[in-house]
Amino acid sequence: MNTVFVGADANRAAAFKFSSGQSAKVPGTKVYQFARRGFPGTPYELKRLYKYYANPHVPRRDRIVAYMLLSELKDFTQRCDVALHDRTMTLLCSDPVYWDLVNPMQGPEDLAYAEKRHIPSRFLHVKDDGVTALRVTRTPDPNVPFDLDQIARYALIFGRPGMENTWQGIAVDFAYRMHWQTLFGFALCRALCANSAGKTTLVRRMALVMARPGLYREAIEAFNKVYDEPFAPQYGPQLTITQVHVPDDKVRNFSDDDAIRVLLYNHIPVEWVDHAYTYGVVYLEQQFHHPTMSLDIF
């Protein structure tokens, strides 16, 4: 089972994981004696962790960690469907004692306990405006369209899962896990469709093709009957992709057949389109039903 770390503990655990490939040990503080997995798993653990946090005689570092764990659990619970609440979540929402938690941080020296999560430097770049230089999350490189790890990290940080998610088609559950096939479908559409005012229409047509099993396979079979040279898919590692760009005044005429022609022209393998089926389904679901979290496919 996983253990939830926050603040400086999460930073150190992530750095250790990236450097060694091994899971970090649980900090030897009383916080993790009261809540063995970080988040309280039972009402009893919740009450014990709260009493420890509220005790002014407890070391301030431990109080800050306990406060962050309780706040994160409360934030998660408020975004979670009530039907999925367990007894701990129900108590957290129903008992007024947990509603207004007071941050025990007292000065700048306490900021070290609440450091932001560790992000490896290879996922960051320096943004210099001439006054200050900030290390910010790197935008996914359009020249490396299938860097799914970077797309996932960028979407998690800036996509605000659980709210009005603009990353249409990517399925996210309440644990902020991203469905890999939907990430692949998103990356494929991002690689094929140029940025423009009509990009949403282009992506929607691509998603419609992906969501219909066998449609692209049938198009390839029809292509092979018409042309002497059979369809030859490109699998990489070097890919040549030409993005489709349709003038804004003509994008309404872009059809499913046009989307298939784009896939054929770029020699996209049928296996890739089949793999992106879940993306097409989730994209259409989000367009018509507007869910903020995707649970059914996990």
Side-chain angles (χ1 to χ4, degrees):
M1 295 179 66
N2 294 327
T3 302
V4 178
F5 297 122
V6 292
D9 292 334
N11 201 354
R12 283 192 293 269
F16 182 80
K17 175 70 175 179
F18 279 109
S19 62
S20 67
Q22 304 296 320
S23 298
K25 294 182 179 180
V26 177
T29 64
K30 285 190 176 181
V31 172
Y32 290 95
Q33 294 179 16
F34 297 136
R36 293 174 297 170
R37 295 297 175 184
F39 279 170
T42 64
Y44 177 67
E45 286 190 352
L46 176 63
K47 293 176 182 179
R48 292 184 71 197
L49 185 62
Y50 176 80
K51 288 182 179 179
Y52 189 65
Y53 144 78
N55 186 349
H57 301 294
V58 168
R60 195 156 68 248
R61 180 195 183 284
D62 285 6
R63 291 189 64 204
I64 292 172
V65 173
Y67 164 79
M68 294 176 68
L69 287 169
L70 290 169
S71 298
E72 286 292 332
L73 179 60
K74 186 174 72 170
D75 184 55
F76 171 83
T77 300
Q78 290 172 341
R79 289 198 303 265
C80 184
D81 193 315
V82 176
L84 301 175
H85 285 188
D86 60 12
R87 291 183 301 150
T88 306
M89 293 177 173
T90 301
L91 176 62
L92 189 63
C93 291
S94 61
D95 193 336
V97 73
Y98 303 110
W99 291 357
D100 297 310
L101 300 175
V102 179
N103 192 334
M105 294 178 62
Q106 296 183 3
E109 67 276 6
D110 293 336
L111 293 176
Y113 304 139
E115 289 180 312
K116 294 182 179 180
R117 70 182 65 182
H118 172 82
I119 301 177
S121 58
R122 66 180 179 276
F123 297 120
L124 302 173
H125 76 278
V126 176
K127 183 178 181 181
D128 191 348
D129 60 3
V131 179
T132 58
L134 302 175
R135 296 186 67 82
V136 297
T137 304
R138 174 171 59 86
T139 304
D141 187 351
N143 295 319
V144 188
F146 297 105
D147 186 356
L148 301 189
D149 284 336
Q150 179 61 10
I151 293 175
R153 285 182 173 86
Y154 193 86
L156 282 173
I157 294 172
F158 294 106
R160 299 185 179 182
M163 302 180 70
E164 290 298 326
N165 189 359
T166 58
W167 295 76
Q168 294 290 345
I170 297 180
V172 187
D173 71 357
F174 288 112
Y176 290 172
R177 297 178 302 175
M178 289 191 164
H179 195 276
W180 208 245
Q181 287 174 258
T182 63
L183 272 172
F184 178 82
F186 175 88
L188 183 57
C189 287
R190 181 171 177 265
L192 292 171
C193 302
N195 287 326
S196 65
K199 183 176 181 178
T200 300
T201 301
L202 305 182
V203 172
R204 185 184 300 120
R205 288 299 177 181
M206 290 289 179
L208 283 166
V209 173
M210 295 171 180
R212 284 181 280 181
L215 181 63
Y216 184 52
R217 190 181 299 273
E218 293 173 0
I220 291 177
E221 293 175 355
F223 178 93
N224 290 335
K225 291 179 181 179
V226 173
Y227 296 97
D228 296 332
E229 186 175 348
F231 176 78
Q234 58 169 337
Y235 292 97
Q238 299 298 324
L239 300 172
T240 301
I241 293 180
T242 303
Q243 288 188 323
V244 57
H245 179 85
V246 181
D248 296 344
D249 59 339
K250 300 215 175 6
V251 73
R252 290 186 178 182
N253 298 324
F254 192 82
S255 65
D256 297 353
D257 290 337
D258 293 324
I260 291 174
R261 291 189 188 97
V262 172
L263 294 168
L264 291 171
Y265 181 83
N266 284 283
H267 299 272
I268 302 300
V270 66
E271 295 88 350
W272 290 14
V273 176
D274 290 345
H275 192 65
Y277 165 78
T278 309
Y279 167 80
V281 172
V282 173
Y283 181 93
L284 296 176
E285 179 191 32
Q286 291 176 346
Q287 287 286 309
F288 292 103
H289 299 291
H290 303 289
T292 56
M293 290 294 189
S294 303
L295 302 177
D296 296 339
I297 65 172
F298 282 88

